[in-house]
Amino acid sequence: MALVADKNNAELKQLSQRLQLLSGIGKEFERASRDDRLFPLVILDAMRWFHEEFDLLTDFKDSLLTMASEQYLSDTPMFNELYAAGIVYLKKKYPCLYRYYQERWQELFKQKTAGLNRDERRSLRL
């Protein structure tokens, strides 16, 4: 509302853009949490990062999310491929959520696909 009153205020414009981004992320979190095709650890990690950034969780809930994500941790090739495919799926279906943590997703994708050849990496994109 304040932005409508003062369209030249750069601080208000920035705040408005930030709120729109966070609103989009919130909507995508809601959809992604119900999406059976998304690898569960991908959304758990995104939730943990989001809640850490905005300090939304109590210590108990934070440790619960961390424990839940650690249950999925594994270095098996199948796990890594499922996680990497989950990142690809997230990028396509939930672009706001992907872009918000893009550097983290890219780094995780590199880690999870380090042992795959080009054709195997391409198959994750299907």
Side-chain angles (χ1 to χ4, degrees):
M1 297 281 183
L3 184 60
V4 174
D6 188 4
K7 293 181 181 182
N8 295 324
N9 187 321
E11 189 175 324
L12 287 176
K13 282 183 181 179
Q14 186 178 13
L15 180 60
S16 175
Q17 290 172 344
R18 179 88 169 147
L19 289 173
Q20 287 177 350
L21 173 67
L22 293 176
S23 174
I25 289 171
K27 289 176 185 175
E28 287 188 358
F29 265 125
E30 192 175 318
R31 285 186 16 242
S33 66
R34 295 187 311 262
D35 190 337
D36 293 336
R37 295 184 63 200
L38 183 60
F39 188 60
L41 185 54
V42 171
I43 192 64
L44 280 175
D45 282 343
M47 285 178 172
R48 185 169 42 86
W49 298 337
F50 190 79
H51 289 285
E52 286 171 356
E53 180 177 351
F54 292 99
D55 197 28
L56 299 175
L57 294 176
T58 64
D59 291 338
F60 174 73
K61 288 181 183 175
D62 188 33
S63 63
L64 196 60
L65 251 183
T66 302
M67 284 176 17
S69 66
E70 287 174 353
Q71 284 181 327
Y72 285 99
L73 291 179
S74 174
D75 283 330
T76 64
M78 180 59 126
F79 169 85
N80 289 338
E81 287 180 35
L82 289 170
Y83 196 104
I87 293 172
V88 171
Y89 183 78
L90 181 86
K91 184 177 181 178
K92 289 179 184 177
K93 292 290 187 176
Y94 306 102
C96 287
L97 190 52
Y98 178 83
R99 281 191 309 265
Y100 195 72
Y101 294 112
Q102 186 170 353
E103 288 180 23
R104 287 182 179 189
W105 294 127
Q106 288 173 339
E107 182 59 34
L108 280 170
F109 188 79
K110 283 181 192 174
Q111 291 173 9
K112 302 299 181 188
T113 60
L116 301 179
N117 65 37
R118 190 171 124 187
D119 290 334
E120 290 169 329
R121 280 193 302 274
R122 278 189 181 165
S123 72
L124 298 173
R125 290 175 167 82
L126 297 176

